[in-house]
Amino acid sequence: MNGLHVAIIMDGNGRWARSRRKPRWRGHLAGVDSVRDVVRAAPDLGVRTLTLYAFSSDNWKRPPTEVGRLFWLLREYCARERDELLANGVRLTAIGRRDRIPASALRALEAVEQVTAGGTTLDLRLAIDYSARAAITTATKTLARRVARGELRVDALTDRELNDAITGGVPAPDLLIRTAGERRLSDFMLWELAYTELYFETATWPEFGRSHLEHALADFRRRERRFGAAGPKEQTVPASAVAEAVGAVG
Ligand code: IPE
Ligand code: IPE
Ligand code: MG
């Protein structure tokens, strides 16, 4: 699969609203427009997979009225965007727990998942009632059951099996963006982000749009990803020089 995987922690809706003397939910409402902008822009900018953190498992700690409005917005988003997503070849899927999502929002979500299942332009993944630690725990349980059934030897268990169980084979994000200036992961994709490039944006999520995404991607393209290896210049050192240096140390 070609194209980048970009993950976004969409933060700052409340602050956006507060600075405009509006209630918090108006920030969430404005945030839906940013989702639409970013989803429209992503394929042109070389993004093939887009994972958006929409609701964390810790967000249940918020007042029930705010939580209710967030799921109402999810339902509206699914109902309103359905045709456009389908026309643009966007495949929408949700990651996270489904059993606590209010029934009407879940119905709308699963209906969009179903109609857009054939989309090949953009993989849009919404993280809803998502917790990375819970995802890792669930994957561990799945593997433990396979071991208990005798299908998998403990010694054959490598990070590859764990990776497949956690990610379902979706490649790790190349770039993580968090808006609104906070520099933390808030239990998002802890396993997958091992070598992801991090980008912190000061604009709040409702302010974020195509130009911000372009800027983040331009910054990403200037970076040198090493995955633990030496940089390209250092790699040209002949093996004999390495042996000599190691000999000198030993
Ligand atoms: C992000 O904005 C939306 C969700 C977490 C659902 P916030 O609601 O966290 O906004 P701030 O961080 O309070 O400004
Ligand atoms: C993370 O943002 C969750 C989402 C963006 C959906 P929060 O606003 O909930 O995170 P904290 O509480 O600031 O860490
Ligand atoms: Mg926040």
Side-chain angles (χ1 to χ4, degrees), residues 129-183:
D129 197 356
Y130 175 87
S131 153
R133 286 176 297 188
I136 293 168
T137 307
T138 303
T140 306
K141 281 185 185 163
T142 304
L143 294 174
R145 283 193 198 99
R146 286 178 55 198
V147 170
R149 286 199 297 264
E151 295 167 8
L152 184 67
R153 283 185 310 110
V154 170
D155 291 338
L157 183 54
T158 66
D159 62 355
R160 204 196 152 112
E161 278 72 33
L162 197 47
N163 185 65
D164 289 350
I166 292 168
T167 67
V170 175
D174 298 289
L175 175 67
L176 171 80
I177 301 170
R178 181 167 185 150
T179 60
E182 241 59 77
R183 290 164 185 245

Side-chain angles (χ1 to χ4, degrees), residues 9-11 53-56 59 62 178 182 184 186:
I9 302 177
M10 309 183 287
D11 198 19
Y53 203 5
F55 190 87
S56 78
N59 288 149
R62 296 186 181 206
R178 181 167 185 150
E182 241 59 77
R184 55 175 170 263
S186 303

